């Protein structure tokens, strides 16, 4: 008998509905209907309002805090499993809790591993995500993981700016590998910021490794949370003689005083994806959609085609 490819169906978690609509429109399909019932104490129950039996189901939702976003993904995976879906792919544009990928001190959890196991237990048979905080998180799963790189959409945008004297920068030592990959693609120099933290989200000291005099600098990171590191790095580089500083950050968490810091900083532009919806607008933030990237990969996954062309870094 011929190998029949199961029908693909697409569903969105509430926090990622806008992005899911873009992804599915790019794919050339429509979002399936989900109704969420909520109890007075905050407990909620998602329900697929159409059959998924024998289908390949894509459930789209970023799992950034609060924890309701993760819980909704888990409940929808469980519902699809119990409704006899044939394949269940969790599409997580942003994989939340990924900063807890190891024990950096005694008696702390490895949350990224815990969530991987939760997703698999709930019913995910495949994971599609983008720019994990640490590449090794893929190894926390026993199921296939497609780890996409936002560089495939950021690089064309950067090249369109036609910046002369371009230098790529990493805001910390941990991001140096990512910065070197961008610099190779852009044939540019690299500088690195060395920072020391007093505690989480609080920088006590920062130094610059490399020369930015007369350079147009592009800071590269996987996420921007409070924007403290980025804005401090940008101000430091401008003090050291940079022509301009802009930043590329895949996931715009932007919590606390992030928007205020961005507006008051010397950053010319912050370029992000729509993996997480922005809490408010800012003249300094440029959003580049990742919808086409996810749609292309999901189509290839559904048709059992290679997606190696999406791994450019």
């Amino acid at each position: 008998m011929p190998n029949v490819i199961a029908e693909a169906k697409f569903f969105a978690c509430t926090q990622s509905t806008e992005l899911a609509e873009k992804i599915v429109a790019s794919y050339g399909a429509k979002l399936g209907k989900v109704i969420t019932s909520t109890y007075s104490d905050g407990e909620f129950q998602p329900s697929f309002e159409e059959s998924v039996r024998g289908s390949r189901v894509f459930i789209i939702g970023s799992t950034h805090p609060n924890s309701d976003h993760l819980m909704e993904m888990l409940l929808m995976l469980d519902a699809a499993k119990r409704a006899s879906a044939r394949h269940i792919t969790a599409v997580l544009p942003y994989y939340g809790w990924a900063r807890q990928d190891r024990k950096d001190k005694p008696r702390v959890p490895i949350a990224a591993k815990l969530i991987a196991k939760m997703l698999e237990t709930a019913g995910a048979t495949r994971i599609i995500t983008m720019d994990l905080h640490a590449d090794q998180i893929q190894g926390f799963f026993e199921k296939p993981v497609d780890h996409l790189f936002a560089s495939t959409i950021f690089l064309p945008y950067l090249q369109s700016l036609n910046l002369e004297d371009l230098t790529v920068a990493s805001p910390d030592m941990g991001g140096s590998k990512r910065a070197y990959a961008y610099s190779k693609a852009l044939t540019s120099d690299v500088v690195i910021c060395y920072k020391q933290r007093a505690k989480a989200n609080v920088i006590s000291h920062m130094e610059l490794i490399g020369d930015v005099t007369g350079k147009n600098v592009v800071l590269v990171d996987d996420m921007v949370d409070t924007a403290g590191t980025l804005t401090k790095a940008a101000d430091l580089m401008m003090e050291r003689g940079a022509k301009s500083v802009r930043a590329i950050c895949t996931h715009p968490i932007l919590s606390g005083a992030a928007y205020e810091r961005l507006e008051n900083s010397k950053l010319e532009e912050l370029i992000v994806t729509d993996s997480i919806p922005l809490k408010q607008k800012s003249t300094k933030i440029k959003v580049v959609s990742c919808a086409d990237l996810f749609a292309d990969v999901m189509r290839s996954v559904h048709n059992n085609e290679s997606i190696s062309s999406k791994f450019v870094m």
Side-chain angles (χ1 to χ4, degrees), residues 55-132:
S55 300
R56 183 189 292 275
V57 172
F58 292 95
I59 301 175
I60 304 165
S62 289
T63 55
H64 52 292
N66 63 45
S67 55
D68 281 358
H69 298 154
L70 171 62
M71 191 65 189
E72 184 180 8
M73 171 61 75
L74 295 172
L75 291 175
M76 290 183 69
L77 290 170
D78 187 70
K81 177 179 67 177
R82 296 178 188 279
S84 301
R86 186 176 179 184
H87 303 285
I88 307 170
T89 301
V91 181
L92 298 94
Y94 173 65
Y95 186 94
W97 316 90
R99 283 173 282 190
Q100 299 179 56
D101 62 318
R102 66 196 185 282
K103 287 185 69 174
D104 56 355
K105 62 181 180 179
R107 298 178 296 281
V108 296
I110 303 179
K113 172 67 178 290
L114 172 63
I115 288 170
K117 293 304 173 190
M118 291 168 69
L119 291 167
E120 290 181 332
T121 300
T125 59
R126 190 181 198 95
I127 307 294
I128 301 176
T129 189
M130 178 175 65
D131 278 8
L132 288 167

Side-chain angles (χ1 to χ4, degrees), residues 257-305:
Y259 285 93
E260 182 180 350
R261 287 194 180 105
L262 287 173
E263 291 299 326
N264 295 331
S265 76
K266 295 179 181 178
L267 263 180
E268 186 165 316
E269 185 178 34
L270 171 62
I271 308 149
V272 300
T273 75
D274 48 359
S275 63
I276 300 174
L278 295 179
K279 297 181 182 72
Q280 64 187 70
K281 292 183 178 180
S282 169
T283 55
K284 286 196 174 185
I285 299 177
K286 164 72 175 179
V287 179
V288 182
S289 183
C290 58
D292 290 343
L293 173 61
F294 275 94
D296 288 347
V297 170
M298 289 159 67
R299 185 182 296 107
S300 296
V301 166
H302 179 54
N303 294 323
N304 299 315
E305 299 169 350

Side-chain angles (χ1 to χ4, degrees), residues 74-259:
L74 295 172
L75 291 175
M76 290 183 69
L77 290 170
D78 187 70
K81 177 179 67 177
R82 296 178 188 279
S84 301
R86 186 176 179 184
H87 303 285
I88 307 170
T89 301
V91 181
L92 298 94
Y94 173 65
Y95 186 94
W97 316 90
R99 283 173 282 190
Q100 299 179 56
D101 62 318
R102 66 196 185 282
K103 287 185 69 174
D104 56 355
K105 62 181 180 179
R107 298 178 296 281
V108 296
I110 303 179
K113 172 67 178 290
L114 172 63
I115 288 170
K117 293 304 173 190
M118 291 168 69
L119 291 167
E120 290 181 332
T121 300
T125 59
R126 190 181 198 95
I127 307 294
I128 301 176
T129 189
M130 178 175 65
D131 278 8
L132 288 167
H133 187 64
D135 291 344
Q136 63 266 23
I137 291 173
Q138 298 172 77
F140 294 167
F141 290 88
E142 300 302 323
K143 306 295 184 183
V145 177
D146 298 313
H147 181 207
L148 311 182
F149 297 114
S151 56
T152 59
I153 53 179
F154 283 143
L155 285 173
Y157 176 78
L158 276 179
Q159 290 162 345
S160 73
L161 296 176
N162 295 317
L163 294 173
E164 297 180 354
D165 302 314
L166 179 65
T167 292
V168 174
S170 172
D172 52 38
M173 300 297 289
S176 58
K177 180 182 175 182
R178 183 180 294 106
Y180 278 114
Y182 271 85
S183 70
K184 183 178 179 180
L186 296 167
T187 60
S188 69
D189 296 330
V190 178
V191 297
I192 298 173
C193 294
Y194 172 73
K195 64 183 179 183
Q196 295 178 330
R197 291 191 184 276
K199 58 182 180 180
N201 295 128
V202 178
I203 301 169
S204 61
H205 181 70
M206 178 178 283
E207 281 296 336
L208 190 61
I209 302 173
D211 184 17
V212 295
T213 305
K215 302 290 186 179
N216 288 303
V217 182
V218 177
L219 282 155
V220 179
D221 210 350
D222 65 306
M223 65 175 70
V224 50
D225 188 354
T226 64
T229 297
L230 277 185
T231 54
K232 191 175 183 68
D235 292 347
L236 177 61
M237 288 173 178
M238 291 300 290
E239 290 171 8
R240 298 288 176 87
K243 286 183 184 177
S244 68
V245 183
R246 48 178 41 82
I248 283 178
C249 296
T250 306
H251 308 296
I253 301 171
L254 296 174
S255 64
Y259 285 93

